[in-house]
Amino acid sequence: MPTVNVFKDVLFKALGREYSTEEFEELCFEYGIELEDETSEQEMVKKEQGEEKAKGKSNRGIYRIDVPANRYDLLCAEGLSRALKVYVGNAKPPVYKLVQPAGGKVQKITVLPETAQIRPHLVCAVLRGITFDQDTYDSFIELQDKLHNNICRKRTLVAIGTHDLDTLQGPFTYEALAPKDIKFVPLNQTKQMNAEELMTFYESDRKLSKFLHIIRDSPVYPVIYDSNRTVLSLPPIINSNHSKITLETKNVFIECTATDITKARVVLNTIVAMFSQYCAEPFAVEPVEIATPNSTSTHRTPDISSRAVEATVGYINKSIGIHITADEVVKYLAKMSLNATLSSSRKSVTVSVPITRSDILHACDVMEDVAIAYGFNKIAKTVPRSITVGAPFPLNKLADFVRRELALSGYTEVLPLILCSHDENYEWLRRTDNGEAVKLANPQTIEFQVVRTSLIQGVLKTISSNKAVALPIKVFEVSDVVFKDESRERKSRNQRNMCVVFASKTSAFETVHGILDRIMAMLNVKLVSPDAAQDGYFIRESDNPTYFPGRCAEVVHKGVSIGHLGIVHPEVLQKFEVPFPCTALEINIEPFL
Amino acid sequence: MSQESIQTDILARLDTHGSIDDTAILPYASDLILGVLNSLLSKEILTYTAIKGEKWVLTSEGQEVASGGSPEVALFNLIPSDAGLAVADAQEQMGEKAKVAMSNAMSKKWLKKQGDQLLRAVDSVTDQVQADLIKIKETGAFGDARVLQDYKRRKLCSAEKITSYSVQKGERFTTNVQKEATEITAEMLRTGEWKGQTFKKYNFNAAGVQVRGGHLHPLMKVREEFRQIFFELGFEEMPTNQFVESSFWNFDALFQPQQHPARDMHDTFFLKDPAVAGEMPKDYVERVKHVHSKGGYGSIGYGYDWKYSEAEKLILRTHTTAVSSYMLYKLAQEARANKEFRPVKYFSIDRVFRNETVDATHLAEFHQIEGVIADRGATLGDLIGILYNFFRKLGIEKLRFKPAYNPYTEPSLEIFSWHTGFKKWVEIGNSGMFRPEMLRPLGLPEDVSVIAWGLSLERPTMIKYSIDNIRELLGHKVDLEMVMTNPICRLDKKMGREI
């Protein structure tokens, strides 16, 4: 969830009164945002850089507010206070409109075909006669950062460039050129460099270095020029210093380059919706004409027309479980900044979704806004009508029977992790990798390399971290191991195993053998002779490298081997740092389902 | 010396002398005497009173002096009667004792110093210290208290508290003590001996013998409580025994867009081997692709280029909702085959995996509790109602719901409960109604809605058992003593150790 900093005084002015912390927390809770912290610049600097650096910083009150990840319109103070202002009934939502420039000639930009190789999409807009002060200027920069980090997926999907239009001369071109051929002075630098040098230059930059990979290996880099071949930006890395925005900037040219056109439109719409507030004519946006390579005609951006979403009053009431009138639906939607009109039959509403609400995809989103405005906590509590019958998952029921019998037999349950290192699953158990284990592609540590194919390693690890416990240590686990399985859609399957380990001053094959007999007796599985073809189980001597030679047997059930028991091999104990003899049993319990 | 022979000795002395004035005269250790006295006291054979006293004993240094003589005498004897001895030589020969020897000998004016030479100042000396210490050792006392204090300061001897007893005959005095039994034996029952037998008094204040039985893990005890609650409410357990999922069932089927941050390498474990899923239900995959990229069922969709290559990537499931989506798919198939929809209540409690940095509250694995209800016309009010029912069974009465965002539920509600300890509302779970963009491609009838909620198993367990580090609860680093000593879980009762 992104966090937005808003000055308390700005917010209270918008809301029309002061709020106590408790009151404001309550308002946030109902609206679906969260007051994270109450602080000031001074306090924030103090926390991050120490008391010394905080001296002289402003102690103007700031609310830090968590907003939902899909509400890009709440990512800045302007949008947040606007939404809350409407919610408390202090204002009506703004109406955005497109206006032509004074001379009637809109800015034009041509997209050249080469851009398709690297960053194909472009949308632009102009904000005229804007007045920035330090607060709004900071907020403008901050919003771009927030958008870059969230919807733009760290500039991979969309990158935003904002420029002082008065330093430039249209028409513009969006091109893709070899890095060596792009030369300009980057933002806040004094030296001109080509794009290749620029890449090296920003390698050590804490903020920008993480974006370089997006285009670095491409033979061509995206770049925007004006008619004098002045570079505007090298998206998604950096703007040029030439067209930099300042507090004095009056006319802003906004360009968003993208690999995802839907998101580019959302980003551009969010910026113009938020900051057209400060234009000479508030909420008026000037379009830009875009000529695309594969089309003879041009189109204009941004598209700020509202979208119609229809929802019937019956659907809204039935989904929420309330009974409100059509007029109330309209009233509640207005609280949520949504302008809705009733159909002539008064059975449905048509919401004209503003450009700020890209999160509304379906009538269910409208229904949710009605529910929020109505108040989640005022909805009458009901219960689903249908009668259903409870039932356990049979394998879990079996596993629980086995767990209980093991505990009744004096063993203690342990719960190690399912992921383990490759060594723990193979080498340490003296096994060779036969390719049956599921392997992870991107673990953060070597602790998690494979999904275990047996339980014993986790149980031995648990014993190893409990050496101080009085002997004998008698532990068990009943849980899943995973094997690759080509025959299945998910190419793998779980298997429910049971593992018992007895650790003491001497090995105890007979003791663990006794546990096997006990569990089999409880599962009503009979001990049978190895020669007889009977339904039952028996054990026979076997070789398994995890166990000591001559002290290992396999458990055979209905003629199929379901696991092993034996004295754990001293080399295995050494690897797991267990200083006393262990005797273990591990079998698959699924045949007993 | 056996307890029995001490007892015989004491009873014989009492029989002969009528009393024992001070047991210090007996040649037995004080604690052995006390044991015998207490045993006889409980049978009213004797009574006794304690005599507190003090006994002087030699330290190990004192023992040395008592047996080998004091250092000052040793030093005196080192110096020839007709010549001097260099201080350095004295130090070399006596080592670390030279210093104390010199200082004592000088203060007794046995020696004098000329330059660096030590000379005898008297002709002969007697070792009074050694003689005194021998006396202290033998008698445990010394007449001159100042001398004792001096030796104590020199760490040659120290005082030790001793207790001895003055013993009198009791009401039932006898020299013929019958042996008391502690337990009834089969032999006694057979012979009838129990009738005449006296039994040792039982100490009801002592702890019982520690039980070394088997134990279930606390997390699994809490899991069992949750399962019972679901059963009571008519929920059927889902088969969650499939840790490996495709991105398709885990994300795409849930209308989670392919660029969603949760699908990042930082949050999800992707698989190297096997890397991609086998064939997934073709028609359904088409419908999902369509609803993501172009919309449908009244939705505009996300409008992006949906890629099969992203959906087929195998991962470790990040939530059990991956199983829920598959179960709902099967339910829709069943409804189509039977031409009739069957309402269901499903639940699961099982392991999920997150590629997160491990800390006190985060592990790469944890358990998720999930409840899902699919019914014709299920409402948000039903969801809120069932959540009250569910949490009331956990002993939680006060709930509050906050609007939230989740890609596959709309509305989405965070569940808060009032924490009486913290005196504030704390988040305890998430819930919502599945989006039509998720349900309709599954093939569920249009009037079927699905409400669901989820929470972690570890968090309520940690609160219940007052554990503040998740690594002390799950994984191989848990303390087995913790597993053995934690009480049973009763979610609807206060256990008294809740955080």
Side-chain angles (χ1 to χ4, degrees), chain A residues 504-568:
Chain A
S504 192
K505 287 193 178 112
T506 56
S507 58
F509 191 94
E510 286 174 327
T511 306
V512 173
H513 187 186
I515 274 291
L516 173 69
D517 289 343
R518 170 74 190 164
I519 294 299
M520 289 299 173
M522 289 300 99
L523 290 171
N524 204 18
V525 179
K526 301 223 165 13
L527 179 65
V528 294
S529 146
D531 326 312
Q534 283 173 289
D535 278 3
Y537 81 102
F538 63 86
I539 69 167
R540 67 172 167 228
E541 188 173 351
S542 144
D543 284 328
N544 181 321
T546 303
Y547 299 96
F548 198 59
R551 288 290 184 280
C552 171
E554 68 184 327
V555 183
V556 182
H557 172 250
K558 289 187 178 174
V560 181
S561 169
I562 56 165
H564 289 85
L565 77 154
I567 296 169
V568 180

Side-chain angles (χ1 to χ4, degrees), chain A residues 1 26 28-34 68-70 153 157 260 262-263 307 315 318-321 359-365 367-368 371-372 376-377 379-393 395-397 400 403-404 406-407 410-419 435 437-444 447-448 451-452 458 461-462 465-466 469-470 472-473 475-477 479-480 482 484 488-494 496 590, chain B residues 212-217 219-220 223-224 227 231 234-239 241-246 249 255 259-261 264-266 268-274 276-281 297-304 314 316 326 343-345 347 351 353 355-358 363-365 373 375-376 378-382 384-386 388-389 400-405 410-414 416 433 435-437 474-481 483-484:
Chain A
M1 252 199 291
E26 197 63 31
C28 287
F29 194 96
E30 281 170 14
Y31 190 74
I33 54 181
E34 203 169 321
N70 64 338
R153 306 291 295 130
L157 302 182
D260 181 322
T262 311
K263 291 212 161 47
R307 189 158 45 84
Y315 164 75
K318 265 198 330 212
S319 301
I320 303 171
D359 61 300
I360 295 181
L361 309 176
H362 187 275
C364 73
D365 298 295
M367 176 266 287
E368 181 189 51
I372 293 172
F376 282 178
N377 298 296
I379 299 170
K381 300 184 268 288
T382 50
V383 281
R385 290 165 304 166
S386 300
I387 303 294
T388 54
V389 178
F393 176 46
L395 182 60
N396 287 358
K397 191 172 176 177
D400 286 349
R403 288 175 50 238
R404 230 163 285 146
L406 287 169
Y411 285 74
T412 294
E413 184 170 37
V414 297
L415 223 51
L417 299 180
I418 285 159
L419 305 179
V438 166
K439 297 191 173 82
L440 307 190
N442 60 330
Q444 289 186 17
E447 270 182 281
F448 311 130
V451 186
R452 63 185 180 189
K461 277 160 76 177
T462 310
S465 16
N466 278 282
V469 173
I473 297 174
V475 283
F476 77 91
E477 183 185 11
S479 182
D480 285 1
V482 174
K484 273 164 63 180
R488 298 190 170 214
E489 184 185 317
R490 293 154 184 91
K491 301 290 178 195
S492 67
R493 66 185 158 84
N494 283 27
R496 185 87 22 116
E590 294 194 12
Chain B
R212 294 293 286 201
H215 310 266
L216 295 174
H217 195 283
L219 195 64
M220 300 300 271
R223 165 185 169 271
E224 191 48 34
R227 289 178 87 225
F231 293 145
F235 281 67
E236 186 183 335
E237 193 171 29
M238 289 187 274
N241 56 336
Q242 180 67 45
F243 297 152
V244 173
E245 258 309 340
S246 59
W249 289 108
F255 198 52
Q259 314 90 339
H260 193 275
D264 256 12
M265 301 292 266
H266 308 293
T268 301
F269 284 115
F270 286 86
L271 300 190
K272 182 163 70 183
D273 180 26
V276 294
E279 204 179 342
M280 302 183 283
Y297 315 102
S299 171
I300 58 166
Y302 292 121
Y304 72 98
L314 287 175
L316 294 180
Y326 182 65
V344 295
K345 295 198 192 101
F347 84 94
R351 208 84 65 116
F353 305 84
N355 195 8
E356 282 182 309
T357 312
V358 173
L363 271 183
E365 300 174 23
I373 300 172
D375 199 355
R376 291 190 190 270
T379 67
L380 194 57
D382 289 342
I384 291 172
I386 195 100
Y388 268 96
N389 279 339
R400 204 156 78 129
F401 300 93
K402 174 174 165 277
Y405 166 64
E410 189 81 3
S412 309
L413 305 78
E414 275 173 9
F416 283 72
M433 296 177 84
R435 292 188 68 98
E437 293 96 326
L474 181 63
H476 64 274
K477 286 180 184 141
V478 298
D479 184 358
L480 282 178
E481 292 290 347
V483 178
M484 293 175 183

Side-chain angles (χ1 to χ4, degrees), chain A residues 215-485:
Chain A
I215 57 166
R216 188 147 202 181
D217 298 330
S218 165
V220 289
Y221 288 179
V223 59
I224 300 176
Y225 286 105
D226 77 352
S227 59
N228 299 324
R229 299 303 285 169
T230 306
V231 169
L232 277 71
S233 63
L234 179 79
I237 313 298
I238 194 151
N239 293 342
S240 85
N241 197 52
H242 176 88
S243 56
K244 176 169 141 182
I245 301 259
T246 67
L247 274 174
E248 277 71 49
T249 297
K250 285 284 151 220
N251 300 305
V252 181
F253 181 78
I254 307 164
E255 38 91 359
C256 299
T257 56
T259 55
D260 181 322
I261 183 66
T262 311
K263 291 212 161 47
R265 288 180 186 134
V266 172
V267 168
L268 182 65
N269 281 350
T270 304
I271 296 174
V272 299
M274 295 300 116
F275 284 88
S276 56
Q277 178 178 346
Y278 304 116
C279 286
E281 185 184 348
F283 305 111
V285 183
E286 183 181 310
V288 172
E289 191 159 290
I290 297 180
T292 48
N294 301 321
S295 161
T296 46
S297 64
T298 60
H299 68 277
R300 289 184 174 192
T301 64
D303 176 5
I304 62 162
S305 58
S306 56
R307 189 158 45 84
V309 172
E310 197 185 319
T312 68
V313 176
Y315 164 75
I316 291 171
N317 272 324
K318 265 198 330 212
S319 301
I320 303 171
I322 51 174
H323 308 282
I324 56 172
T325 64
D327 291 322
E328 283 174 303
V329 169
V330 172
K331 188 189 83 189
Y332 284 129
L333 286 172
K335 261 187 101 164
M336 303 304 288
S337 302
L338 294 178
N339 189 14
T341 50
L342 271 176
S343 69
S344 53
S345 68
R346 302 178 60 81
K347 286 213 165 85
S348 70
V349 293
T350 303
V351 176
S352 76
V353 180
I355 53 171
T356 44
R357 293 298 302 275
S358 59
D359 61 300
I360 295 181
L361 309 176
H362 187 275
C364 73
D365 298 295
V366 173
M367 176 266 287
E368 181 189 51
D369 272 22
V370 174
I372 293 172
Y374 180 88
F376 282 178
N377 298 296
K378 291 188 191 125
I379 299 170
K381 300 184 268 288
T382 50
V383 281
R385 290 165 304 166
S386 300
I387 303 294
T388 54
V389 178
F393 176 46
L395 182 60
N396 287 358
K397 191 172 176 177
L398 170 74
D400 286 349
F401 278 134
V402 172
R403 288 175 50 238
R404 230 163 285 146
E405 288 303 330
L406 287 169
L408 288 173
S409 306
Y411 285 74
T412 294
E413 184 170 37
V414 297
L415 223 51
L417 299 180
I418 285 159
L419 305 179
C420 63
S421 75
H422 187 274
D423 276 355
E424 286 163 354
N425 200 65
Y426 288 114
E427 285 84 340
W428 289 17
L429 293 172
R430 305 178 80 243
R431 294 199 286 225
T432 45
D433 184 349
N434 55 1
E436 63 180 6
V438 166
K439 297 191 173 82
L440 307 190
N442 60 330
Q444 289 186 17
T445 68
I446 59 153
E447 270 182 281
F448 311 130
Q449 291 174 313
V450 301
V451 186
R452 63 185 180 189
T453 57
S454 61
L455 301 179
I456 187 172
Q457 61 269 43
V459 180
L460 287 175
K461 277 160 76 177
T462 310
I463 293 174
S464 179
S465 16
N466 278 282
K467 288 176 202 144
V469 173
L471 293 175
I473 297 174
K474 299 153 78 176
V475 283
F476 77 91
E477 183 185 11
V478 179
S479 182
D480 285 1
V481 297
V482 174
F483 296 104
K484 273 164 63 180
D485 186 343

